[in-house]
Amino acid sequence: VKAFISAILGYDPNSKNTEGGVLGIVKAYYGCVEAQGRGSLHCHLLVWVEGGLNPNELKDRVLNDEEFKARLMTFLEDTISTCVPDDMPDAPSVPSSQFHPCSVRGVPADLTDEQREPAIQKDFHNLVKSCQVHTHTKTCYKYCREGEPKFCRFDLDESNTRPESVVDPETGEIALKYTNGLVNSYNDTILQAVRCNMDIKFIGSGASAKAILYYITDYITKTQLKAHVAYAALETAIKKLENAQIPNDDVASRAKKVLQKCAFSMISQQELSAQQVCSYLMDLEDHFTSHSFRTLYWSQVEKYIDGIDPSPECY
């Protein structure tokens, strides 16, 4: 991940890199490592690009500045792809045609200059077909009610195509061109470098941008321990403590026992995949940040805001 941030994103903590990386000059990033259902680790990464505007400013520029709008659309369409690249049937044999593209490193090194370009195109086609084309499973429909029409919760469907990028004149929301409704959005360079499934989204203008930002922030900071499991563990710990022989007048001792029992109970109920355990034993990071942060106690912030009689817009 560190190599990706340095080499592909081109992040320079000293701000001396004026050329940037594949997304431009990266101003900041925050990412966390999560284990999916079958245990393999993956990273969710937020990237702030130098010169980026906040949603309100971006909406105003997109709706009122045609030149800016055209430049932004060109940048986004060049950065985010939603198609399956053309196949090259006459290209030289490449390893990704015989093995899964994720298990090989690309095209052979001994190809001639004339063979290399079609071989790269053939390998890229195989990579997108294997890693980025969505296949519906029961997970797609787990929120659909019985008797109602089923829809993919990832909003991926063959009919979800768009011939060109458009901007909603009311909200300023940007809807990028979509040539294949079953393709997860990807960046050509990043996909060819990491050689695994990826999903890239632009968080820009419109009301949905704020909703997406909240969702991502909530997602990358969520705990691995499910809420219902945590509450059940706490209940078990308190019941065990009630049966312990502790004098009622020893308040400090009882409080200490409660905290210990609750902590041990929650830790014992937390599921960790083998990959996560190995990662922790090897002292590998589970999050990556470009900046240091301070703890924000939100309840105190709300109390302060309520105390100064804020305007209704704050709520």
Side-chain angles (χ1 to χ4, degrees), residues 37 76 78 123 134 137 171 184 187 189 210 221 250 280 301 312:
L76 293 177
D78 182 61
D123 176 72
H134 178 74
T137 65
T171 65
N184 280 314
N187 176 271
T189 304
K210 298 174 183 178
T221 56
D250 192 351
Y280 292 136
V301 174

Side-chain angles (χ1 to χ4, degrees), residues 154-226:
F154 304 109
D155 197 29
L156 292 170
D157 189 84
E158 292 180 347
S159 61
N160 291 350
T161 59
R162 192 176 300 108
E164 60 182 16
S165 301
V166 295
V167 175
D168 189 312
E170 298 294 330
T171 65
E173 185 173 354
I174 299 172
L176 291 179
K177 176 176 65 176
Y178 229 99
T179 56
N180 189 316
L182 290 175
V183 171
N184 280 314
S185 303
Y186 63 91
N187 176 271
D188 298 12
T189 304
I190 294 177
L191 181 62
Q192 289 177 297
V194 300
R195 301 189 72 83
C196 64
N197 172 257
M198 67 166 293
D199 192 5
I200 182 172
K201 284 183 171 58
F202 169 69
I203 304 176
S205 59
S208 63
K210 298 174 183 178
I212 292 173
L213 186 59
Y214 171 81
Y215 168 78
I216 294 176
T217 303
D218 180 64
Y219 196 86
I220 65 178
T221 56
K222 71 177 181 180
T223 175
Q224 295 289 340
L225 187 63
K226 305 299 183 186

Side-chain angles (χ1 to χ4, degrees), residues 298-315:
W298 186 246
S299 58
Q300 295 182 9
V301 174
E302 287 185 321
K303 183 178 179 181
Y304 171 77
I305 294 175
D306 288 338
I308 60 175
D309 191 24
S311 61
E313 288 80 7
C314 292
Y315 297 98

Side-chain angles (χ1 to χ4, degrees), residues 6-149:
S6 175
I8 305 299
L9 295 184
Y11 175 73
D12 180 9
N14 299 317
S15 301
K16 294 181 179 179
N17 181 0
T18 58
E19 295 184 1
V22 67
L23 302 178
I25 299 177
V26 174
K27 186 177 182 180
Y29 63 85
Y30 179 90
C32 71
V33 178
E34 183 191 46
Q36 59 187 43
R38 51 178 182 257
S40 58
L41 303 179
H42 60 280
C43 185
H44 296 265
L45 193 68
L46 276 172
V47 177
W48 286 264
V49 179
E50 181 72 34
L53 306 175
N54 68 47
N56 292 331
E57 293 173 329
L58 192 59
K59 174 184 176 181
D60 182 66
R61 292 286 299 276
V62 166
L63 294 179
N64 300 299
D65 188 337
E66 287 297 325
E67 182 184 356
F68 175 82
K69 173 184 170 182
R71 288 191 287 114
L72 178 61
M73 291 300 192
T74 299
F75 167 75
L76 293 177
E77 292 179 359
D78 182 61
T79 303
I80 301 175
S81 297
T82 58
C83 65
V84 177
D86 295 334
D87 193 5
M88 297 290 287
D90 299 328
S93 177
V94 292
S96 58
S97 296
Q98 304 175 27
F99 308 98
H100 196 284
C102 293
S103 65
V104 297
R105 295 192 174 185
V107 302
D110 58 353
L111 294 178
T112 64
D113 293 340
E114 185 179 349
Q115 295 174 319
R116 180 167 298 278
E117 194 59 38
I120 291 175
Q121 178 69 15
K122 174 72 173 180
D123 176 72
F124 188 41
H125 168 82
N126 295 339
L127 188 61
V128 173
K129 285 279 289 184
S130 298
C131 297
Q132 296 302 123
V133 178
H134 178 74
T135 301
H136 294 306
T137 65
K138 62 180 181 180
T139 304
C140 300
Y141 311 116
K142 73 176 187 177
Y143 296 133
C144 296
R145 296 179 180 178
E146 188 175 352
E148 295 183 355

Side-chain angles (χ1 to χ4, degrees), residues 226-244:
K226 305 299 183 186
H228 68 279
V229 177
Y231 288 133
L234 291 174
E235 181 185 20
T236 302
I238 292 174
K239 284 183 177 180
K240 287 182 178 179
L241 191 63
E242 289 176 348
N243 298 326

